[in-house]
Amino acid sequence: MKPTPSTTSASSGRSRAASAGETVPENKRGLSRQWVWVFPFAALTFLLVTLALLGINAATDLADAGRFVRWSLPVAETLHNFTMISVMGSLLFAIGIVPRFSDSTWRKNRINMAHKYSAEQRQKNLERDEYPPFVSLLNFGAAMAVAWTILALCVLILAYADISGRPVSLTSAYTSELTSYITTIDSGKQQATTVIVAAVVATLIFGVRSLMGLFLTLALSMIALVSMALGGHSSGGDDHMGAVNSLGLHLLGVALWCGGLIALVYISRQVSAQDAGSGTLTESARGSESATERRAPMAVVVLRRYSVLALGGFVLVTLSGVVNASVRMNSWDEIFTTTYGQLVIAKLMLTLVLGAIGALHRMSLIPGMQRGEVGLIRGLWTAILVEIVLMGATSGLAVSLSRTPPPVPETLSEDASPVRIITWYDMPPEPHRAEWFTQWRFDWFWVAVILFLAFAYLWAFVKVKRAGGQWSVVRLLSWFVGLFLLNYVTSGALAVYGRVLFSAHMVEHMSLTMIVPIFLVLGAPVTLLLMALEPRQDGTRGPREWILRLVHSGWSKVITNPIFAAVNFAGSIVIVYFTPMLNFVLKYHVGHEFMILHFLITGYIFSLVLIGIDPIPNRPGYPFRLIMLIATLGYHAFVGIAMMSMDTLLAASWFGNLGRPWGLSAIDDQKLGGSLMWGIGEIPTMIIAVMVGVLWAQNDKKVQRRFDRKEERDGDAELNAYNDMFLDLNERDERRK
């Protein structure tokens, strides 16, 4: 858990330490930058030892590219991983953990400037010195991004040599083969994507300084994680989607946790030096605590923020690692009887030790540091040094694990069925009533998203209640009903049969667009989070600031515009089902996840504009909302009837080649899907129309009550003035006569 901030100020803590005769020498404040290289050193040490002891890297009877390639490739992969997560950790710290400017009151001054000064004065005041740790983070991130690009290119070249069994060469024939590998083979495309992403990130990080620009740069760098998850050897095997998603979540957790720790070590001495100076941060307070009582040294604030990030990373890494290992082994007995299983156990043990050290940080060392207890300050940085050594060792084991064949075969058997080849899974049983409740195939990406959303909402609900605030239990229940339905749509029978039945796919689509968003929007998550999250006063953007920034951004103004929301909602159907996009979302794993995300967000925004209470830049009047609904209802009916009357099979290469032995023919099932689209589209639309009508009536009552209160206050002055105007006009007419 996140440590409870002490109400003792940093200055009083230092006073107690001084009175006890204890001081913190300057050279003992934090860790010097050179300690970040402990991570790759430990990683390479564990990598080479495990490869040598277990014989993982021995030459094979098949094509062998030689000793140089066999040993250089895992070394390059280890260094590549280090530079990649270093870039992500640096960007993450820059956008949300350390302030951009040295003045800790920058945010408050900026708000005041917006009202009191001219544009020229505001611009002059904003041109202030950047905070040294912020500059150091971006310089470190830029250097690591350049190294990441070079190492990604090395991994690409060495990986081709390893796969082809040919030593690296500079001949034109070898270059031509390498080009063909990049352009025609999936693994080559994915590795080339990583090279391109690294190069673009390296370019951006040199010039971008705005927090939104750095946020987008971080988001772009995450594409490399997707590429690695798709190209990892777990992308084959028995549960393709489960393997890819769990590996992607694992890599994300590593980037947040390990990358953040590397960034923390790199700036630790700089932020620790602020303990003795005036550069402290003031965190906002609520209730009876004042801002002064929450004042804390920079190092304490940075460590507290990172501890929350590390906890999330630890949970993500541990759970996703267990899931990924289970997908790639036939039984748990193979954990102890195979080299692969033994490496998994070793990696898990190191991860749990790291989690225990992190718990020690949060529960004891960081609070002790805030109290000014010098012994604990030294202990904290020592523990962090141990942590980075163990993280490096775990990273080295991970690369060794990636070069170890898992027990579950990764290639399709020679007698694989057509449905197995096309969808990655065997044909499910014919659906009867029971199968719609018993058939599950967990999409671990969406399971993780749903668990996170459930935890965040419940945390905010409890915090608001404890602070004496009010929040409807009905909205709480609505949110969790929406999450439950989302889990069923993404992991239940609809997801299973949606791969082989167009009709089930259509129900999945309509549920994501028309049913699930209604419950989620009624939960009003943004409003609840804004009530629960405390604003920061040091110029950094925490979760609350990022939410507000996104809500009021130009992008938000576009997508929540009622016309855009309606066109996007209706136009998505045509784009997905009447263009080659349908083949993309069915064939490719990224396309499938994109389809779910797009339909869910599209439906959420449409419902938010119509019936939501969360803040958005544009919300139309009630008459226009009803017009939007009527148009949507008619559009769904039109598209549904069009599908019912078609004789051409959509995505024929997919639904026409599955060899399904039960149910309707592919074309008849498509027509059933069109009728379901028509029917499912009507019911939620009518429910939303009723809700819009109720909200309209409630709004009219509120307006009327407001006028009534105004009349009571001013004695109906507006009506009297209106009548006096007519009397005056009448008197003028009388005088003219």
Side-chain angles (χ1 to χ4, degrees):
M1 296 177 60
K2 184 178 178 180
T4 303
S6 172
T7 56
T8 306
S9 67
S11 58
S12 63
R14 289 192 297 271
S15 299
R16 287 199 306 274
S19 64
E22 296 178 302
T23 59
V24 183
E26 186 66 28
N27 61 354
K28 295 293 183 181
R29 294 181 178 276
L31 300 169
S32 62
R33 294 176 177 176
Q34 288 71 23
W35 284 110
V36 298
W37 306 112
V38 169
F39 186 100
F41 178 80
L44 291 174
T45 300
F46 270 71
L47 169 72
L48 297 176
V49 169
T50 53
L51 290 179
L53 290 180
L54 300 177
I56 299 171
N57 223 33
T60 63
D61 295 333
L62 300 177
D64 182 20
R67 182 182 296 271
F68 172 77
V69 172
R70 281 189 282 111
W71 289 95
S72 297
L73 178 57
V75 169
E77 288 176 340
T78 302
L79 296 176
H80 167 272
N81 296 343
F82 166 70
T83 54
M84 179 184 68
I85 63 176
S86 297
V87 171
M88 295 177 183
S90 300
L91 290 171
L92 191 62
F93 263 59
I95 66 175
I97 293 183
V98 301
R100 179 182 176 185
F101 296 102
S102 298
D103 185 0
S104 63
T105 61
W106 172 81
R107 181 176 179 271
K108 188 180 297 184
N109 287 344
R110 183 177 181 182
I111 294 174
N112 293 335
M113 286 187 296
H115 297 283
K116 296 181 180 180
Y117 302 111
S118 65
E120 182 179 354
Q121 290 171 319
R122 289 199 301 270
Q123 182 63 29
K124 182 178 180 180
N125 205 352
L126 287 173
E127 293 174 355
R128 58 186 70 214
D129 294 333
E130 290 182 329
Y131 186 53
F134 178 87
V135 176
S136 297
L137 283 168
L138 293 189
N139 290 340
F140 177 64
M144 289 295 100
V146 173
W148 178 22
T149 305
I150 297 172
L151 287 165
L153 185 59
C154 291
V155 169
L156 170 63
I157 296 172
L158 292 170
Y160 170 70
D162 187 55
I163 293 173
S164 64
R166 297 184 57 188
V168 177
S169 171
L170 297 178
T171 62
S172 58
Y174 187 88
T175 304
S176 176
E177 293 173 2
L178 180 61
T179 303
S180 178
Y181 170 70
I182 294 173
T183 56
T184 60
I185 306 299
D186 287 342
S187 58
K189 294 177 182 178
Q190 290 149 4
Q191 290 163 353
T193 300
T194 302
V195 175
I196 295 172
V197 168
V200 174
V201 170
T203 303
L204 292 175
I205 203 171
F206 273 102
V208 174
R209 277 299 183 271
S210 69
L211 295 184
M212 180 56 75
L214 293 174
F215 176 83
L216 295 176
T217 303
L218 176 62
L220 177 64
S221 70
M222 295 291 179
I223 296 177
L225 301 182
V226 178
S227 178
M228 291 177 65
L230 293 171
H233 68 189
S234 69
S235 61
D238 190 54
D239 185 1
H240 171 86
M241 297 178 68
V244 171
N245 285 347
S246 59
L247 180 58
L249 292 171
H250 193 76
L251 293 172
L252 176 62
V254 169
L256 298 177
W257 188 13
C258 301
L261 184 67
I262 293 170
L264 174 64
V265 170
Y266 190 79
I267 63 169
S268 63
R269 181 157 293 184
Q270 284 182 295
V271 296
S272 296
Q274 297 294 329
D275 290 355
S278 59
T280 56
L281 297 180
T282 303
E283 292 200 332
S284 65
R286 290 190 178 187
S288 60
E289 296 182 40
S290 66
T292 304
E293 292 172 331
R294 296 286 296 276
R295 185 175 293 272
M298 176 68 75
V300 173
V301 175
V302 169
L303 284 165
R304 280 211 308 260
R305 291 172 180 170
Y306 169 69
S307 70
V308 177
L309 185 71
L311 178 60
F314 166 73
V315 173
L316 199 57
V317 166
T318 304
L319 297 182
S320 63
V322 171
V323 171
N324 192 262
S326 66
V327 168
R328 297 161 72 176
M329 289 188 287
N330 293 301
S331 66
W332 290 108
D333 294 339
E334 292 176 340
I335 292 179
F336 306 101
T337 59
T338 63
T339 301
Y340 184 86
Q342 293 166 1
L343 286 174
V344 168
I345 288 294
K347 187 167 174 278
L348 178 61
M349 291 299 102
L350 284 176
T351 302
L352 293 177
V353 171
L354 286 167
I357 295 175
L360 179 65
H361 293 172
R362 287 183 290 274
M363 293 187 293
S364 176
L365 297 179
I366 295 176
M369 185 178 185
Q370 183 167 352
R371 292 192 297 269
E373 299 174 8
V374 176
L376 289 180
I377 296 175
R378 293 172 176 169
L380 174 64
W381 294 118
T382 302
I384 289 176
L385 180 59
V386 173
E387 193 172 1
I388 197 170
V389 171
L390 293 179
M391 277 189 177
T394 307
S395 177
L397 283 179
V399 176
S400 296
L401 190 64
S402 69
R403 298 189 62 78
T404 305
V408 173
E410 299 180 297
T411 57
L412 291 170
S413 62
E414 294 181 357
D415 60 345
S417 63
V419 68
R420 176 77 177 183
I421 297 172
I422 294 174
T423 70
W424 311 311
Y425 296 96
D426 294 326
M427 180 68 69
E430 183 176 0
H432 300 290
R433 183 177 301 175
E435 278 73 20
W436 293 109
F437 300 96
T438 59
Q439 291 294 314
W440 288 81
R441 185 186 297 143
F442 287 103
D443 187 324
W444 294 108
F445 171 77
W446 285 103
V447 169
V449 170
I450 289 166
L451 290 176
F452 173 77
L453 294 176
F455 173 80
Y457 195 97
L458 189 60
W459 169 85
F461 177 79
V462 171
K463 187 168 183 180
V464 168
K465 285 293 186 180
R466 286 181 176 177
Q470 298 294 323
W471 191 255
S472 171
V473 177
V474 175
R475 293 195 180 277
L476 173 73
L477 295 176
S478 176
W479 178 257
F480 279 92
V481 168
L483 293 182
F484 173 80
L485 293 176
L486 178 59
N487 186 51
Y488 176 76
V489 171
T490 55
S491 298
L494 286 179
V496 174
Y497 288 103
R499 306 290 291 174
V500 297
L501 288 173
F502 183 86
S503 56
H505 170 85
M506 183 56 68
V507 175
E508 180 184 14
H509 163 206
M510 296 303 295
S511 298
L512 288 168
T513 307
M514 298 292 296
I515 299 176
V516 174
I518 295 176
F519 292 96
L520 296 180
V521 166
L522 292 177
V526 174
T527 302
L528 178 62
L529 286 174
L530 292 177
M531 293 173 61
L533 292 168
E534 295 182 352
R536 293 185 180 180
Q537 303 295 330
D538 54 26
T540 59
R541 282 185 189 168
R544 191 177 194 277
E545 287 72 24
W546 276 110
I547 290 173
L548 289 173
R549 178 68 180 85
L550 293 175
V551 166
H552 297 292
S553 65
W555 176 75
S556 178
K557 291 179 181 178
V558 172
I559 65 171
T560 60
N561 183 283
I563 297 178
F564 180 88
V567 171
N568 184 38
F569 182 79
S572 297
I573 300 174
V574 175
I575 293 175
V576 170
Y577 290 104
F578 297 100
T579 69
M581 178 65 71
L582 181 59
N583 289 304
F584 172 76
V585 301
L586 289 171
K587 182 179 179 180
Y588 296 101
H589 181 80
V590 172
H592 177 74
E593 300 295 354
F594 171 78
M595 178 199 71
I596 296 175
L597 183 64
H598 174 74
F599 285 154
L600 182 64
I601 292 179
T602 299
Y604 186 90
I605 293 173
F606 186 74
S607 299
L608 178 62
V609 172
L610 293 173
I611 59 174
I613 66 168
D614 282 338
I616 59 174
N618 303 290
R619 180 168 277 117
Y622 291 100
F624 190 78
R625 299 187 202 184
L626 290 177
I627 294 174
M628 289 173 60
L629 282 170
I630 295 172
T632 301
L633 180 63
Y635 188 80
H636 275 153
F638 173 78
V639 176
I641 293 173
M643 286 186 179
M644 293 169 62
S645 60
M646 286 178 61
D647 293 325
T648 303
L649 185 63
L650 299 174
S653 61
W654 184 279
F655 291 109
N657 293 322
L658 296 175
R660 178 164 44 83
W662 44 259
L664 300 172
S665 65
I667 191 66
D668 289 336
D669 184 67
Q670 177 177 298
K671 293 180 179 181
L672 175 61
S675 64
L676 289 172
M677 179 184 187
W678 183 7
I680 295 176
E682 285 188 351
I683 298 174
T685 302
M686 296 305 299
I687 293 174
I688 294 177
V690 172
M691 296 176 66
V692 170
V694 172
L695 292 173
W696 193 353
Q698 291 177 347
N699 183 72
D700 287 345
K701 290 180 180 179
K702 290 180 181 179
V703 172
Q704 185 59 47
R705 285 197 296 268
R706 186 166 63 248
F707 276 112
D708 291 342
R709 288 193 297 268
K710 183 176 181 297
E711 290 176 2
E712 292 176 359
R713 288 195 305 268
D714 58 17
D716 206 3
E718 186 176 350
L719 179 60
N720 293 333
Y722 187 72
N723 292 332
D724 290 342
M725 180 188 69
F726 278 103
L727 288 174
D728 183 62
L729 292 175
N730 186 52
E731 291 178 357
R732 291 181 183 179
D733 290 340
E734 291 288 341
R735 287 195 296 269
R736 288 173 184 171
K737 293 178 181 179

